[in-house]
């Protein structure tokens, strides 16, 4: 099984806590005011947040240093220093943070919106007012803020999808995802039902599984912006195997496949080097004679006929995909 290498190393520093201060109460009519120095504010945390809209760590590739601000010092009149703002770094689902020295996993982001404090900011120091007690009426000292943490951290992205679906709008891609996984994408009898990618996990024999990604349909001219364009193709760049979905009730499937391959190539020729599997969907809509014609037209591509209605070909397809995945090459991102 291939492993994707999507990986960045960043030097982080969480903020220092602000120092507490030494101050004294000085007001008219109060002669010997007591200690009045406030506490420092907390330094900024470094927080990771899982964002389902992100698919790679590429956005972070060129950010070598990320520092949070320090907390403000405490002030006179028991004023607490302001806490620094936290740095919230959005990362794709499946990101893990590792300590480069020990290899220890510091955090793993697996659910949308999940937030993890990677490096906490230092706590603010206590002002001298805090140290006042019955036996110590006038403490003339305050605590410094706790220092932040400075540390290199590796962010690594695990595989998100092994199989990416490619096809014209209305080909039955989302339907296929819905019958082989527990995902429930929108399905309808019109083009561009799917507007954003969906992921599902295909359970295979013996508790093995792989991930399938359903993306919006592609049309001729997509590379030049027709339809939804090719903006979603970046989501299948990381897939090991591309699954082309060609609907049985459309003429000239060889021509359809050619258009799809041409659009992929215009977007990124590397996509054509990936392993592929061709399925003819909606096979329940054609008879045996038409099937033979389709087979002839797709000669050399060994299509699997499937139907979400009758269940035809689904197990065969899973077997075929699994075999390809087992032998797929290692995919390295640039
Ligand atoms: N008869 C039959 N109809 C199917 C089958 N699979 C899908 N359909 C129908 O085809 C239409 C389109 O299905 P979708 O799964 O939404 O197609 P899609 O490829 O995801 O389309 P976009 O999201 O627009 O790109 C729907 O009306 C489905 O019910 C099938 O195996 N047999
Ligand atoms: Mg769809």
């Amino acid at each position: 099984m291939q492993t994707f290498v999507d990986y960045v190393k960043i030097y982080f520093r969480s903020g220092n806590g602000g120092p507490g201060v030494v101050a004294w109460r000085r007001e008219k009519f109060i002669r010997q005011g007591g200690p009045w120095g406030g506490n420092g504010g907390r330094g900024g945390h470094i927080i990771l947040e899982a964002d389902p809209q992100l698919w790679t760590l590429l956005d972070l590739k060129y950010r070598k240093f990320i520092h949070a601000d320090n907390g403000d010092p405490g002030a006179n009149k028991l004023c607490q220093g302001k806490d620094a703002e936290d740095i919230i770094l959005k990362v794709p689902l499946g990101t893990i943070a590792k300590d480069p020295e020990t290899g220890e996993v510091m955090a793993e982001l697996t659910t949308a919106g999940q937030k993890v404090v990677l490096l906490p900011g230092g706590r603010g120091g206590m002002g001298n007012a805090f140290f006042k007690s019955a036996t110590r009426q006038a403490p003339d000292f305050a605590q410094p803020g706790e220092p932040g943490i400075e540390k290199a951290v590796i962010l690594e992205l695990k595989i998100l999808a092994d199989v990416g679906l490619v096809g014209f709008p209305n080909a039955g891609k989302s339907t296929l995802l819905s019958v082989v996984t527990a995902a429930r994408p929108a399905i309808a009898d019109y083009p561009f039902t799917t507007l954003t990618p969906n992921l599902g996990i295909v359970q295979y024999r013996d508790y093995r599984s792989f991930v399938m990604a359903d993306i919006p349909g592609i049309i001729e001219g997509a590379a030049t912006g027709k339809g939804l364009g090719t903006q979603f193709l970046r989501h299948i760049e990381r897939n090991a195997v591309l699954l082309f979905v060609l609907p049985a009730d459309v003429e000239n499937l060889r021509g359809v496949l050619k258009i799809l391959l041409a659009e992929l190539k215009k977007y990124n020729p590397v996509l054509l080097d990936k392993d592929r599997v061709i399925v003819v969907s909606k096979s329940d809509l054609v008879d045996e004679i038409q099937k033979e014609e389709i087979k002839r037209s797709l000669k050399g591509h060994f299509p699997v006929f499937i139907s979400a209605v009758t269940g035809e070909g689904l197990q065969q397809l899973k077997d075929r995909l699994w075999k390809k995945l087992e032998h797929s090459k290692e995919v390295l991102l640039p």
Side-chain angles (χ1 to χ4, degrees):
M1 180 85 36
Q2 93 296 342
T3 45
F4 287 101
V5 182
D6 194 1
Y7 163 118
V8 291
K9 184 176 178 182
I10 299 177
Y11 293 86
F12 288 106
R13 191 173 70 210
S14 59
N16 298 328
V21 296
V22 176
W24 306 100
R25 191 163 182 181
R26 301 249 182 277
E27 276 179 55
K28 259 188 192 170
F29 313 117
I30 302 182
R31 272 276 159 86
Q32 290 217 309
W36 224 18
N39 305 334
R42 178 175 64 71
H45 294 323
I46 304 281
I47 295 176
L48 301 180
E49 180 180 348
D51 182 344
Q53 303 296 319
L54 293 176
W55 289 68
T56 74
L57 292 168
L58 288 176
D59 292 348
L60 296 173
K61 202 136 201 153
Y62 301 102
R63 298 187 63 184
K64 287 282 164 254
F65 301 96
I66 297 181
H67 295 169
D69 288 339
N70 300 331
D72 282 349
N76 199 355
K77 301 188 184 174
L78 299 177
C79 278
Q80 162 103 29
K82 219 173 106 208
D83 290 347
E85 257 181 53
D86 298 328
I87 296 232
I88 300 178
L89 216 59
K90 301 207 168 183
V91 295
L93 282 169
T95 299
I96 53 177
K98 272 190 189 164
D99 184 328
E101 277 148 43
T102 63
E104 178 209 350
V105 173
M106 302 167 67
E108 180 162 11
L109 290 106
T110 52
T111 51
Q114 182 189 355
K115 280 188 185 172
V116 175
V117 177
L118 186 66
L119 301 178
R123 283 172 302 184
M126 298 303 185
N128 68 334
F130 176 83
F131 297 101
K132 183 182 170 185
S133 66
T135 53
R136 193 160 56 199
Q137 293 290 321
D140 58 354
F141 56 90
Q143 216 177 19
E146 189 181 50
I149 302 171
E150 195 167 344
K151 189 166 182 46
V153 176
I154 288 173
L155 299 179
E156 210 177 87
L157 185 55
K158 295 199 288 189
I159 305 155
L160 272 188
D162 302 308
V163 175
L165 298 176
V166 181
F168 277 3
N170 227 22
K173 300 179 295 301
S174 300
T175 307
L176 172 59
L177 186 80
S178 77
V179 293
V180 294
T181 75
R184 289 292 164 260
I187 292 169
D189 191 16
Y190 53 79
F192 301 115
T193 304
T194 302
L195 297 174
T196 56
N198 303 300
L199 288 182
I201 298 171
V202 182
Q203 298 297 339
Y204 193 61
R205 304 170 196 269
D206 307 332
Y207 307 107
R208 287 174 292 185
S209 60
F210 56 91
V211 181
M212 193 178 265
D214 168 32
I215 63 169
I218 296 166
I219 58 173
E220 182 159 28
T224 54
K226 293 237 173 74
L228 292 175
T230 47
Q231 52 173 318
F232 296 104
L233 287 182
R234 71 192 161 90
H235 294 168
I236 57 169
E237 282 179 291
R238 294 177 60 233
N239 296 164
V241 175
L242 298 183
L243 179 56
F244 287 78
V245 182
L246 311 176
D249 59 342
V250 164
E251 307 263 295
N252 186 14
L253 291 187
R254 196 174 191 90
V256 171
L257 182 60
K258 223 169 131 185
I259 292 170
L260 290 171
L261 289 170
E263 294 302 324
L264 258 50
K265 187 175 172 188
K266 277 185 229 162
Y267 173 77
N268 182 354
V270 171
L271 290 175
L272 296 201
D273 297 338
K274 290 182 186 291
D275 280 320
R276 23 179 129 116
V277 172
I278 313 288
V279 299
V280 175
S281 60
K282 314 190 189 182
S283 67
D284 54 287
L285 297 180
V286 290
D287 58 27
E288 287 307 318
I289 298 168
Q290 290 166 305
K291 270 192 190 172
E292 286 308 316
E293 268 170 35
I294 292 173
K295 273 187 208 160
R296 263 199 302 280
S297 133
L298 290 173
K299 212 169 139 220
H301 294 289
F302 312 104
V304 182
F305 284 82
I306 61 161
S307 166
V309 176
T310 65
E312 182 193 351
L314 296 178
Q315 189 57 49
Q316 193 197 343
L317 173 61
K318 288 195 211 176
D319 290 341
R320 178 87 69 92
L321 288 172
W322 185 261
K323 221 178 256 163
K324 289 266 186 196
L325 285 170
E326 272 184 320
H327 297 113
S328 68
K329 320 151 203 140
E330 180 135 324
V331 180
L332 290 168
L333 280 181

